[in-house]
Every structure is written in structure tokens, then in C-alpha cells.
Amino acid sequence: MAFDAGLLKCVAHEINMLSESRIEKIYQPSNDEIVVFLHSATKKAKILINAGSNYPRIAITNTTSENPQKAPMLCMLFRKRLVGANLIDIRQIKNDRILIFDFDGTTEIGDKTQYHLICEIMGQRSNIILCDCDYKILDAVKRIDESKSQVREILPGLRYEFPPMQEKCDIINDDTALIVDSILNKGEKILSKGILDVVEGFSPIVCREIAYRTIFGDKQIGLLSEIEIERLASEIEVIKAEITEKSTPQILFNTENTPFDFSFTNIRQYGNTLLKKTYESISELLDDFYFEKDKINRTKRKAADLFKLLN
């Protein structure tokens, strides 16, 4: 269950429909989460950005969160700088799990300026960082000092630096032949692991899916036939088209009808052992998936409390 770069690209495409919208409200339901209300002459939408360790994500949402009666200091800062600002661009950094929202706003004295809201969706290292026009950090959901990281500090006043980039292929911008050659150079590994090592931002389930579609299973890369290598190139092109043009948002459910995993592509590797539900948009999928996950977690917590009381 991973919010990978391919999924983020699909979400960015959905949010791009809101370009030229103005920020109306900002809330911070929890320490690691903010909700941004946008509106234009024709559209209204609510974007949820979660930097929690368990379920980090970005999506247009229809769910309602309970907000604290008094807004946290970070939320007040975000409101001060961003409420009334216009969303002018949304950028994904290479094919990594970093999304940047660019806003036209004003300074405290009313001068025009730009702000950058940087969302890093990277598991336990996820973060939401607000920067000024020169990428000086104004504040972040998670402040990172030298005691937490020797590589990169995230503190007000410092200049924002991107996380160290991995030397991997970008499926969107790199040539498919180059990607395939890089995978073939991992000859001793099995195909799904080779894809994971070579392609930037892919989750294990997508890598296994490409391998399954290529050879209907998985095997050592060095044992691939010429026909299988051609099929690998073809399946990479299919995945690229799904990311950039038309995705197939899908949730997988186990036999107990519990959400198991999700992806932007049709997952075939499990055959008929799992149930599948397809959605019109990634945002709709994420709303449903995390609503069900949250409901299950709440039930477990209540059950644990009851057992504790009974004991």
C-alpha cells in the first residue's frame, strides 16, 4: 500500500484542473494534515494534504474533518500567507513523490509575491513545507534539525533543498529503450526487483505488475527471451500512457472485503483471489480507501478499549 510517484502524477493532473483558483480557507485538522479550500468562478474544491507516517497523501476530497476550536500556530501562518492567493501552477519534481503548489499572493505590507507549498509524500519522511518566492522556508509541518537529520534540515529561515535524488530512470521523460537497457543490466535479479531498482518512484505492486504482464510471473532478468524483452518495453509504454493520459484507479479487496491495496493501473497479478473496484478518479479512490481504513482502525481501537474494560 504505497502512494507512489505514478499515483502522484495522476493526482497532480486532477488538481491541475483547479489552476487559477483562489484559496478561500485553510484548516489543520491534525498535526500532520492540512485542508485547503479553493474556488474559482466555475469550481470549488477541497484539497487534503497529509504528511502523517501511516497514510501520507494528496487528493481532492469530499470528506469532512473535525477541526480544533482554536487553529494551531502553523495553520495561522498558512492562512496569513496563503488565504486569498491564486494557484498558478502545480509541479511534480521529475518522477519523484514531491509536488509543488505555486501561488501568487501578497506580503504582509501588500506587495505582490509568490509562495511555494512543497508536499513531500515519502512515508515516514513526508512533510508539508511553506516557502517564500526565494524558497526560504517559512515553516513546515515537521521541523527537522541536525539531531534528526545530518543530510537536510527543514527549519524556518533556511533555504529549501530537495531530498537527495536517486540515480534512477524517469519513466515519463527518459526513453523506453534506455529504461529497458538499465533493467537488463540488473541481470542477476528477478524482473520485478530490477524494475524497482531502476525506475524512479514506482511502488513494489506496480513493479510486480509490469513483470507479471511481461512474463506472467517473475524470473531472473538474465533469462528473459528477446520476445519477453520486447514485451517489457511495450508494458512500460502502457504504464507511461496510464500515468500521463488515462489511469485506471483501482482498489483491491481481500476475501473479507477489507481494502488491501490500490493503484493507478489495472492490477492483474492476483488473478481472481482478490476483488477489485474501479473508480473514475484517483481522488475518489483515495477518499473511499482511507475512509474504510479509518473505519476499521476506529473499530479496532473501540474493541481494544472494551477488552481492556472487561479485563
Coordinates of all heavy atoms in Angstrom, one line a residue, residues 27-114:
Y27 N -7.5 24.8 6.9 CA -7.7 24.2 8.2 C -6.6 23.2 8.4 O -6.0 22.7 7.5 CB -9.1 23.5 8.3 CG -10.3 24.5 8.3 CD1 -11.1 24.6 7.1 CD2 -10.6 25.3 9.4 CE1 -12.1 25.4 7.1 CE2 -11.6 26.1 9.4 CZ -12.4 26.2 8.2 OH -13.5 27.1 8.2
Q28 N -6.4 22.9 9.7 CA -5.4 21.9 10.1 C -6.0 21.0 11.1 O -5.9 21.2 12.3 CB -4.1 22.6 10.7 CG -3.0 21.6 11.0 CD -1.8 22.3 11.6 OE1 -1.8 23.5 11.8 NE2 -0.7 21.5 11.8
P29 N -6.7 19.9 10.6 CA -7.4 19.0 11.5 C -6.6 18.3 12.5 O -7.0 17.9 13.6 CB -8.1 18.0 10.5 CG -8.1 18.7 9.2 CD -6.9 19.6 9.2
S30 N -5.3 18.0 12.1 CA -4.4 17.3 12.9 C -3.0 17.8 12.7 O -2.7 18.6 11.7 CB -4.4 15.8 12.7 OG -4.0 15.5 11.4
N31 N -2.0 17.4 13.5 CA -0.7 18.0 13.4 C 0.0 17.8 12.0 O 0.7 18.6 11.6 CB 0.3 17.3 14.5 CG -0.1 17.8 15.9 OD1 -0.7 18.8 16.1 ND2 0.3 17.0 16.9
D32 N -0.4 16.6 11.4 CA 0.3 16.3 10.1 C -0.6 16.5 8.9 O -0.2 16.1 7.8 CB 0.7 14.8 10.2 CG 1.7 14.5 11.3 OD1 2.5 15.4 11.6 OD2 1.7 13.4 11.8
E33 N -1.7 17.2 9.0 CA -2.6 17.3 7.9 C -3.2 18.7 7.8 O -3.5 19.4 8.8 CB -3.7 16.3 8.2 CG -4.8 16.3 7.1 CD -5.8 15.2 7.4 OE1 -6.8 15.5 8.1 OE2 -5.6 14.0 7.0
I34 N -3.2 19.2 6.5 CA -3.9 20.5 6.3 C -4.9 20.3 5.2 O -4.8 19.4 4.3 CB -2.9 21.6 5.9 CG1 -2.3 21.3 4.6 CG2 -1.9 21.9 7.0 CD1 -1.5 22.6 4.0
V35 N -6.0 21.1 5.2 CA -7.0 21.0 4.2 C -7.2 22.5 3.6 O -7.3 23.4 4.3 CB -8.4 20.6 4.8 CG1 -9.5 20.6 3.7 CG2 -8.2 19.2 5.4
V36 N -7.1 22.5 2.3 CA -7.1 23.8 1.6 C -8.4 23.9 0.7 O -8.6 23.0 -0.1 CB -5.9 24.0 0.7 CG1 -5.9 25.3 -0.1 CG2 -4.6 23.9 1.5
F37 N -9.2 25.0 0.9 CA -10.4 25.2 0.2 C -10.0 26.2 -1.0 O -9.5 27.3 -0.7 CB -11.5 25.8 1.0 CG -12.1 24.8 2.0 CD1 -11.4 24.5 3.2 CD2 -13.3 24.3 1.8 CE1 -11.9 23.6 4.1 CE2 -13.9 23.4 2.7 CZ -13.2 23.0 3.9
L38 N -10.3 25.7 -2.2 CA -10.1 26.6 -3.4 C -11.4 26.9 -4.1 O -12.3 26.0 -4.1 CB -9.1 25.8 -4.4 CG -7.7 25.7 -3.9 CD1 -7.0 24.6 -4.8 CD2 -6.9 27.0 -4.0
H39 N -11.5 28.0 -4.7 CA -12.7 28.3 -5.5 C -12.3 29.2 -6.7 O -11.3 30.0 -6.6 CB -13.8 29.0 -4.7 CG -13.5 30.4 -4.3 ND1 -14.1 31.4 -5.1 CD2 -12.8 31.0 -3.4 CE1 -13.7 32.6 -4.6 NE2 -12.9 32.4 -3.5
S40 N -13.0 29.1 -7.8 CA -12.9 30.0 -8.9 C -14.3 30.4 -9.3 O -15.3 30.1 -8.6 CB -12.2 29.3 -10.1 OG -13.0 28.2 -10.6
A41 N -14.4 31.0 -10.5 CA -15.8 31.4 -10.9 C -16.7 30.2 -11.2 O -17.9 30.3 -11.1 CB -15.6 32.3 -12.2
T42 N -16.0 29.1 -11.6 CA -16.8 27.9 -12.0 C -16.7 26.7 -11.1 O -17.4 25.8 -11.2 CB -16.5 27.5 -13.4 OG1 -15.0 27.3 -13.5 CG2 -16.8 28.6 -14.4
K43 N -15.6 26.7 -10.3 CA -15.3 25.4 -9.5 C -15.1 25.8 -8.0 O -14.6 26.8 -7.7 CB -14.1 24.7 -10.0 CG -14.2 24.4 -11.5 CD -12.9 23.5 -11.9 CE -12.7 23.5 -13.3 NZ -11.9 24.6 -13.8
K44 N -15.4 24.7 -7.2 CA -15.0 24.7 -5.8 C -14.4 23.4 -5.5 O -14.9 22.4 -5.9 CB -16.2 25.0 -4.9 CG -16.5 26.5 -4.7 CD -17.5 26.7 -3.6 CE -17.8 28.2 -3.4 NZ -18.7 28.4 -2.3
A45 N -13.4 23.3 -4.7 CA -12.8 22.0 -4.3 C -12.0 22.2 -3.0 O -11.7 23.3 -2.6 CB -11.8 21.6 -5.4
K46 N -11.8 21.0 -2.4 CA -11.1 20.9 -1.2 C -9.9 19.9 -1.4 O -10.1 18.8 -1.7 CB -12.1 20.4 -0.1 CG -11.6 20.4 1.3 CD -12.7 20.2 2.3 CE -13.6 19.0 2.0 NZ -14.6 18.7 3.1
I47 N -8.7 20.4 -1.1 CA -7.5 19.5 -1.2 C -7.0 19.1 0.2 O -6.8 20.0 1.0 CB -6.4 20.3 -2.0 CG1 -6.9 20.6 -3.4 CG2 -5.2 19.4 -2.1 CD1 -5.9 21.4 -4.2
L48 N -6.9 17.8 0.4 CA -6.4 17.3 1.6 C -4.9 16.9 1.4 O -4.6 16.3 0.4 CB -7.2 16.1 2.0 CG -6.7 15.4 3.3 CD1 -7.9 14.8 4.0 CD2 -5.7 14.3 3.1
I49 N -4.0 17.4 2.3 CA -2.6 17.1 2.2 C -2.2 16.5 3.6 O -2.3 17.2 4.6 CB -1.7 18.3 1.9 CG1 -2.2 19.1 0.7 CG2 -0.3 17.9 1.7 CD1 -1.6 20.4 0.4
N50 N -1.8 15.2 3.5 CA -1.5 14.5 4.8 C 0.0 14.1 4.8 O 0.4 13.4 3.8 CB -2.4 13.3 4.9 CG -2.2 12.6 6.3 OD1 -1.1 12.2 6.6 ND2 -3.3 12.4 7.0
A51 N 0.7 14.5 5.8 CA 2.1 14.1 5.9 C 2.4 13.2 7.0 O 3.5 13.1 7.6 CB 3.0 15.4 6.1
G52 N 1.3 12.5 7.5 CA 1.5 11.5 8.6 C 2.3 10.3 8.1 O 2.5 10.0 7.0
S53 N 2.9 9.6 9.1 CA 3.7 8.5 8.8 C 2.9 7.3 8.2 O 3.5 6.5 7.5 CB 4.5 8.0 10.1 OG 5.3 9.1 10.6
N54 N 1.7 7.2 8.6 CA 0.9 6.0 8.2 C 0.3 6.1 6.9 O 0.4 5.2 6.0 CB -0.2 5.7 9.3 CG 0.4 5.3 10.6 OD1 1.4 4.6 10.7 ND2 -0.3 5.6 11.7
Y55 N -0.5 7.2 6.6 CA -1.2 7.4 5.4 C -0.9 8.7 4.7 O -1.8 9.5 4.4 CB -2.7 7.3 5.7 CG -3.1 6.0 6.3 CD1 -4.0 6.0 7.4 CD2 -2.7 4.7 5.8 CE1 -4.4 4.8 8.0 CE2 -3.1 3.5 6.4 CZ -3.9 3.6 7.5 OH -4.3 2.4 8.1
P56 N 0.3 9.0 4.3 CA 0.6 10.3 3.6 C 0.0 10.3 2.2 O 0.0 9.3 1.5 CB 2.1 10.3 3.6 CG 2.5 8.9 3.6 CD 1.5 8.2 4.5
R57 N -0.6 11.4 1.9 CA -1.3 11.5 0.6 C -1.6 12.9 0.2 O -1.7 13.8 1.1 CB -2.5 10.6 0.5 CG -3.6 11.1 1.5 CD -4.6 9.9 1.7 NE -5.7 10.3 2.5 CZ -5.7 10.3 3.9 NH1 -4.7 9.9 4.5 NH2 -6.8 10.6 4.5
I58 N -2.0 13.1 -1.0 CA -2.6 14.4 -1.5 C -3.8 14.0 -2.4 O -3.7 13.1 -3.2 CB -1.6 15.2 -2.4 CG1 -0.4 15.6 -1.6 CG2 -2.3 16.5 -2.8 CD1 0.7 16.3 -2.4
A59 N -4.9 14.7 -2.2 CA -6.1 14.4 -3.1 C -7.1 15.5 -2.9 O -7.2 16.2 -1.9 CB -6.7 13.0 -2.7
I60 N -7.9 15.6 -4.0 CA -9.2 16.4 -3.8 C -10.1 15.5 -3.0 O -10.3 14.3 -3.3 CB -9.8 16.7 -5.2 CG1 -8.8 17.5 -6.0 CG2 -11.1 17.4 -5.1 CD1 -9.2 17.7 -7.5
T61 N -10.7 16.1 -2.0 CA -11.5 15.2 -1.1 C -12.9 15.8 -0.9 O -13.2 17.0 -1.0 CB -10.8 15.1 0.3 OG1 -11.6 14.3 1.1 CG2 -10.7 16.5 1.0
N62 N -13.9 14.9 -0.6 CA -15.2 15.3 -0.3 C -15.5 15.0 1.2 O -16.7 15.2 1.7 CB -16.2 14.6 -1.2 CG -16.2 15.1 -2.6 OD1 -16.1 16.3 -2.8 ND2 -16.2 14.2 -3.6
T63 N -14.5 14.4 1.9 CA -14.8 14.1 3.3 C -14.7 15.3 4.2 O -14.1 16.3 3.8 CB -13.7 13.1 3.8 OG1 -12.4 13.6 3.7 CG2 -13.8 11.8 3.0
T64 N -15.3 15.2 5.4 CA -15.3 16.3 6.3 C -14.5 15.9 7.5 O -14.7 14.9 8.1 CB -16.8 16.7 6.7 OG1 -17.5 17.0 5.5 CG2 -16.8 17.8 7.7
S65 N -13.6 16.8 7.9 CA -12.7 16.5 9.1 C -13.2 17.4 10.2 O -13.6 18.6 10.0 CB -11.3 16.8 8.7 OG -10.8 16.0 7.7
E66 N -13.0 16.9 11.4 CA -13.3 17.7 12.6 C -12.1 18.6 12.9 O -11.0 18.1 13.1 CB -13.6 16.8 13.8 CG -14.0 17.6 15.0 CD -14.5 16.7 16.2 OE1 -14.7 15.5 15.9 OE2 -14.5 17.2 17.3
N67 N -12.3 19.9 12.9 CA -11.2 20.9 13.2 C -11.1 21.3 14.6 O -12.2 21.4 15.3 CB -11.3 22.1 12.2 CG -11.3 21.7 10.8 OD1 -10.3 21.1 10.3 ND2 -12.3 22.0 10.1
P68 N -9.9 21.6 15.1 CA -9.8 22.1 16.5 C -10.5 23.5 16.6 O -10.5 24.2 15.7 CB -8.3 22.2 16.7 CG -7.7 22.2 15.4 CD -8.6 21.5 14.5
Q69 N -11.0 23.8 17.8 CA -11.7 25.0 18.0 C -10.8 26.2 17.8 O -11.2 27.3 17.3 CB -12.3 25.1 19.4 CG -13.5 24.1 19.6 CD -14.2 24.3 20.9 OE1 -13.6 24.9 21.9 NE2 -15.4 23.8 21.1
K70 N -9.5 26.1 18.3 CA -8.5 27.1 18.1 C -7.5 26.6 17.1 O -6.9 25.6 17.3 CB -7.9 27.5 19.4 CG -6.9 28.6 19.3 CD -6.3 29.0 20.7 CE -5.3 30.1 20.5 NZ -4.7 30.5 21.8
A71 N -7.3 27.4 16.0 CA -6.4 26.9 15.0 C -4.9 26.9 15.5 O -4.5 27.9 16.2 CB -6.4 27.9 13.8
P72 N -4.1 25.9 15.2 CA -2.7 25.9 15.6 C -1.9 27.0 15.0 O -2.4 27.6 14.0 CB -2.2 24.5 15.0 CG -3.5 23.7 14.8 CD -4.5 24.7 14.5
M73 N -0.8 27.3 15.6 CA 0.0 28.4 15.1 C 0.4 28.3 13.6 O 0.5 29.2 12.8 CB 1.3 28.6 16.0 CG 1.0 29.1 17.4 SD 0.2 30.7 17.4 CE 1.6 31.7 16.8
L74 N 0.8 27.0 13.2 CA 1.2 26.8 11.9 C 0.0 27.1 10.9 O 0.2 27.7 9.9 CB 1.6 25.3 11.7 CG 2.1 24.9 10.3 CD1 3.4 25.6 10.0 CD2 2.3 23.4 10.2
C75 N -1.2 26.7 11.3 CA -2.3 26.9 10.4 C -2.5 28.4 10.3 O -2.9 28.9 9.2 CB -3.6 26.3 11.1 SG -5.1 26.5 10.1
M76 N -2.3 29.2 11.4 CA -2.5 30.6 11.3 C -1.5 31.3 10.4 O -1.8 32.2 9.6 CB -2.3 31.2 12.7 CG -3.4 30.8 13.7 SD -5.0 31.3 13.3 CE -4.9 33.1 13.5
L77 N -0.3 30.7 10.4 CA 0.8 31.2 9.4 C 0.4 30.9 8.0 O 0.5 31.8 7.1 CB 2.1 30.6 9.7 CG 3.2 30.9 8.7 CD1 3.6 32.4 8.7 CD2 4.5 30.0 9.0
F78 N -0.1 29.7 7.7 CA -0.5 29.3 6.4 C -1.7 30.2 5.9 O -1.7 30.7 4.8 CB -1.0 27.9 6.4 CG 0.2 26.9 6.2 CD1 1.4 27.2 6.8 CD2 0.0 25.7 5.6 CE1 2.5 26.3 6.7 CE2 1.1 24.8 5.4 CZ 2.3 25.1 6.0
R79 N -2.6 30.5 6.8 CA -3.7 31.4 6.5 C -3.2 32.8 6.1 O -3.7 33.4 5.2 CB -4.7 31.4 7.6 CG -5.5 30.2 7.8 CD -6.4 30.3 9.0 NE -7.2 29.1 9.2 CZ -8.1 28.9 10.3 NH1 -8.2 29.8 11.2 NH2 -8.8 27.8 10.4
K80 N -2.3 33.3 7.0 CA -1.8 34.7 6.8 C -1.2 34.8 5.4 O -1.3 35.9 4.8 CB -0.8 35.0 7.9 CG -0.3 36.4 7.9 CD 0.6 36.6 9.1 CE 1.2 38.0 9.2 NZ 2.1 38.2 10.3
R81 N -0.4 33.8 5.0 CA 0.3 34.0 3.7 C -0.5 33.5 2.5 O -0.2 34.0 1.4 CB 1.6 33.1 3.8 CG 2.6 33.6 4.9 CD 2.9 35.1 4.8 NE 3.8 35.5 5.9 CZ 5.1 35.7 5.8 NH1 5.7 35.4 4.7 NH2 5.8 36.1 6.9
L82 N -1.4 32.5 2.7 CA -2.0 31.9 1.5 C -3.4 32.2 1.3 O -3.9 32.2 0.1 CB -1.8 30.4 1.6 CG -0.4 29.9 1.5 CD1 -0.4 28.3 1.6 CD2 0.3 30.3 0.3
V83 N -4.2 32.5 2.3 CA -5.6 32.8 2.0 C -5.7 34.1 1.1 O -5.1 35.1 1.4 CB -6.4 33.0 3.4 CG1 -7.8 33.6 3.1 CG2 -6.5 31.7 4.1
G84 N -6.5 33.9 0.0 CA -6.6 35.0 -1.0 C -5.6 34.9 -2.1 O -5.7 35.5 -3.1
A85 N -4.6 34.0 -2.0 CA -3.6 33.8 -3.0 C -4.2 32.9 -4.2 O -5.1 32.1 -4.0 CB -2.4 33.1 -2.5
N86 N -3.7 33.1 -5.4 CA -4.1 32.4 -6.6 C -3.2 31.2 -6.9 O -2.0 31.4 -6.9 CB -4.2 33.3 -7.8 CG -5.3 34.3 -7.7 OD1 -6.4 33.9 -7.3 ND2 -5.0 35.6 -7.9
L87 N -3.8 30.0 -7.1 CA -3.0 28.9 -7.5 C -2.6 29.1 -9.0 O -3.5 29.1 -9.9 CB -3.8 27.6 -7.3 CG -3.1 26.3 -7.8 CD1 -1.8 26.0 -7.0 CD2 -4.1 25.1 -7.6
I88 N -1.3 29.2 -9.3 CA -0.9 29.4 -10.7 C -0.3 28.2 -11.4 O -0.3 28.1 -12.6 CB 0.0 30.6 -10.8 CG1 1.3 30.4 -9.9 CG2 -0.7 31.9 -10.5 CD1 2.3 31.5 -10.1
D89 N 0.3 27.2 -10.6 CA 0.9 26.1 -11.2 C 1.1 25.0 -10.1 O 1.1 25.2 -8.9 CB 2.3 26.5 -11.7 CG 2.8 25.4 -12.7 OD1 2.0 24.6 -13.2 OD2 4.0 25.5 -13.0
I90 N 1.1 23.7 -10.6 CA 1.4 22.6 -9.8 C 2.4 21.8 -10.5 O 2.3 21.4 -11.7 CB 0.1 21.7 -9.6 CG1 -1.0 22.5 -9.0 CG2 0.4 20.5 -8.8 CD1 -2.4 22.0 -9.3
R91 N 3.5 21.5 -9.9 CA 4.7 20.8 -10.5 C 5.1 19.6 -9.7 O 5.3 19.7 -8.5 CB 5.9 21.8 -10.6 CG 5.6 23.0 -11.4 CD 6.7 24.0 -11.4 NE 6.8 24.7 -10.1 CZ 7.9 24.8 -9.3 NH1 9.0 24.2 -9.7 NH2 7.9 25.5 -8.2
Q92 N 5.3 18.5 -10.4 CA 5.9 17.3 -9.8 C 7.4 17.3 -10.2 O 7.8 17.5 -11.3 CB 5.3 16.0 -10.3 CG 5.8 14.8 -9.6 CD 5.1 13.5 -10.0 OE1 4.3 13.6 -11.0 NE2 5.3 12.4 -9.3
I93 N 8.3 17.1 -9.2 CA 9.7 17.1 -9.4 C 10.1 15.8 -10.0 O 10.0 14.7 -9.3 CB 10.5 17.4 -8.1 CG1 10.0 18.7 -7.5 CG2 12.0 17.4 -8.4 CD1 10.1 19.9 -8.5
K94 N 10.6 15.8 -11.3 CA 10.9 14.6 -12.0 C 9.8 13.6 -11.9 O 8.6 14.0 -12.0 CB 12.2 14.0 -11.6 CG 13.4 14.9 -11.9 CD 14.7 14.2 -11.5 CE 15.0 13.0 -12.4 NZ 16.3 12.4 -12.1
N95 N 10.1 12.3 -11.6 CA 9.0 11.4 -11.3 C 9.1 10.9 -9.9 O 9.0 9.8 -9.5 CB 9.1 10.1 -12.2 CG 7.8 9.4 -12.3 OD1 6.7 9.9 -12.4 ND2 7.9 8.0 -12.1
D96 N 9.4 11.9 -9.0 CA 9.6 11.7 -7.6 C 8.3 12.0 -6.9 O 7.3 12.6 -7.5 CB 10.7 12.5 -7.0 CG 11.4 11.8 -5.8 OD1 10.8 10.9 -5.3 OD2 12.5 12.2 -5.5
R97 N 8.2 11.8 -5.6 CA 7.0 12.0 -4.8 C 7.0 13.4 -4.1 O 6.8 13.5 -2.9 CB 6.9 10.9 -3.7 CG 6.6 9.5 -4.4 CD 6.7 8.4 -3.3 NE 8.1 8.3 -2.9 CZ 8.5 7.5 -1.9 NH1 7.6 6.9 -1.1 NH2 9.8 7.5 -1.5
I98 N 7.3 14.4 -4.9 CA 7.3 15.8 -4.5 C 6.4 16.6 -5.4 O 6.6 16.6 -6.6 CB 8.8 16.3 -4.5 CG1 9.7 15.5 -3.6 CG2 8.7 17.8 -4.0 CD1 11.1 15.9 -3.7
L99 N 5.5 17.3 -4.8 CA 4.6 18.1 -5.6 C 4.6 19.5 -5.0 O 4.6 19.7 -3.8 CB 3.1 17.6 -5.4 CG 2.1 18.0 -6.5 CD1 2.5 17.5 -7.9 CD2 0.7 17.5 -6.2
I100 N 4.8 20.5 -5.9 CA 4.9 21.9 -5.5 C 3.7 22.7 -6.0 O 3.4 22.7 -7.2 CB 6.2 22.5 -6.0 CG1 7.4 21.8 -5.5 CG2 6.3 24.0 -5.6 CD1 8.8 22.3 -6.0
F101 N 3.1 23.4 -5.1 CA 2.0 24.3 -5.5 C 2.6 25.7 -5.5 O 3.1 26.2 -4.5 CB 0.9 24.3 -4.5 CG 0.1 22.9 -4.4 CD1 0.7 21.8 -3.7 CD2 -1.1 22.8 -5.0 CE1 0.0 20.7 -3.7 CE2 -1.8 21.6 -4.9 CZ -1.3 20.5 -4.3
D102 N 2.4 26.4 -6.6 CA 2.9 27.8 -6.8 C 1.7 28.7 -6.7 O 0.7 28.6 -7.4 CB 3.6 28.0 -8.1 CG 4.9 27.2 -8.2 OD1 5.6 27.0 -7.2 OD2 5.2 26.7 -9.4
F103 N 1.8 29.7 -5.8 CA 0.8 30.7 -5.6 C 1.2 32.1 -5.8 O 2.4 32.5 -5.4 CB 0.3 30.6 -4.1 CG -0.4 29.3 -3.8 CD1 0.3 28.3 -3.1 CD2 -1.7 29.1 -4.1 CE1 -0.3 27.1 -2.8 CE2 -2.4 27.9 -3.8 CZ -1.6 26.9 -3.1
D104 N 0.4 32.9 -6.4 CA 0.6 34.4 -6.4 C -0.1 35.0 -5.2 O -1.4 34.8 -5.1 CB 0.0 35.0 -7.7 CG 1.0 35.0 -8.8 OD1 2.2 34.8 -8.6 OD2 0.5 35.1 -10.0
G105 N 0.6 35.6 -4.3 CA 0.0 36.2 -3.1 C 0.5 37.6 -2.9 O 1.1 38.3 -3.7
T106 N 0.5 38.0 -1.6 CA 1.0 39.3 -1.2 C 1.8 39.2 0.1 O 1.5 38.2 0.9 CB -0.2 40.3 -1.0 OG1 -1.1 39.8 0.0 CG2 -0.9 40.6 -2.3
T107 N 2.7 40.1 0.3 CA 3.4 40.1 1.6 C 2.6 40.8 2.7 O 1.5 41.2 2.4 CB 4.7 40.9 1.4 OG1 4.4 42.3 1.1 CG2 5.6 40.4 0.3
E108 N 3.2 40.9 3.8 CA 2.5 41.5 5.0 C 2.1 42.9 4.7 O 1.1 43.4 5.3 CB 3.3 41.3 6.3 CG 3.5 39.9 6.7 CD 4.5 39.8 7.9 OE1 5.4 40.6 7.9 OE2 4.3 38.9 8.7
I109 N 2.9 43.6 3.9 CA 2.6 45.0 3.6 C 1.9 45.2 2.3 O 1.7 46.3 1.8 CB 3.9 45.8 3.6 CG1 4.9 45.3 2.6 CG2 4.5 45.8 5.0 CD1 6.1 46.2 2.4
G110 N 1.4 44.1 1.7 CA 0.6 44.2 0.5 C 1.3 44.1 -0.9 O 0.7 44.2 -1.9
D111 N 2.6 43.9 -0.9 CA 3.4 43.8 -2.1 C 3.1 42.4 -2.7 O 3.0 41.4 -2.0 CB 4.9 44.0 -1.9 CG 5.2 45.4 -1.5 OD1 4.4 46.3 -1.8 OD2 6.3 45.6 -0.8
K112 N 3.1 42.4 -4.1 CA 2.9 41.1 -4.7 C 4.1 40.2 -4.6 O 5.2 40.7 -4.7 CB 2.5 41.3 -6.2 CG 1.2 41.9 -6.4 CD 0.9 42.1 -7.9 CE -0.5 42.6 -8.1 NZ -0.9 42.8 -9.6
T113 N 3.9 38.9 -4.4 CA 5.0 37.9 -4.3 C 4.4 36.6 -4.6 O 3.3 36.4 -4.9 CB 5.5 38.0 -2.8 OG1 6.7 37.2 -2.8 CG2 4.5 37.4 -1.8
Q114 N 5.3 35.6 -4.6 CA 4.9 34.2 -4.8 C 5.3 33.4 -3.5 O 6.2 33.7 -2.8 CB 5.7 33.6 -6.0 CG 5.1 33.9 -7.3 CD 5.6 33.0 -8.4 OE1 6.5 32.2 -8.2 NE2 5.0 33.1 -9.6

